[in-house]
Amino acid sequence: ENDGRATSSSTTVSGNTWTSTGTRKDINGKVYETRSVDTYSSDGKTRTFSIEYSADDGKTWLPLWKGTMKKVK
């Protein structure tokens, strides 16, 4: 993180999908659950991802980032 804080997480890999879950503490000390899913194309040229967070111990998940990256060369 660019503000000096870090997210602690663990990652599992199943085929081309990487799933990470963990926790993050905000600047006021509030702890959030985090979840990210990255899926890589079989040729390794495309990655789709989504990152979510929960402020209620995983009952409700809210989107933080979602996108697609493609290798151009």
Side-chain angles (χ1 to χ4, degrees):
E1 304 290 341
N2 62 359
D3 58 7
R5 292 173 285 129
T7 299
S8 173
S9 63
S10 61
T11 302
T12 59
V13 178
S14 178
N16 292 344
T17 302
W18 295 37
T19 304
S20 299
T21 57
T23 58
R24 183 177 194 279
K25 195 181 290 187
D26 74 9
I27 198 164
N28 298 314
K30 169 102 173 118
V31 176
Y32 294 89
E33 300 293 318
T34 61
R35 175 171 66 191
S36 66
V37 178
D38 298 82
T39 303
Y40 298 86
S41 63
S42 58
D43 64 4
K45 294 183 178 181
T46 304
R47 170 187 167 213
T48 58
F49 64 91
S50 65
I51 303 171
E52 302 171 308
Y53 73 96
S54 174
D56 58 7
D57 295 320
K59 295 175 189 147
T60 307
W61 291 93
L62 301 169
L64 186 59
W65 291 89
K66 187 179 258 192
T68 301
M69 297 178 172
K70 294 185 180 198
K71 185 174 181 179
V72 295
K73 285 190 175 188

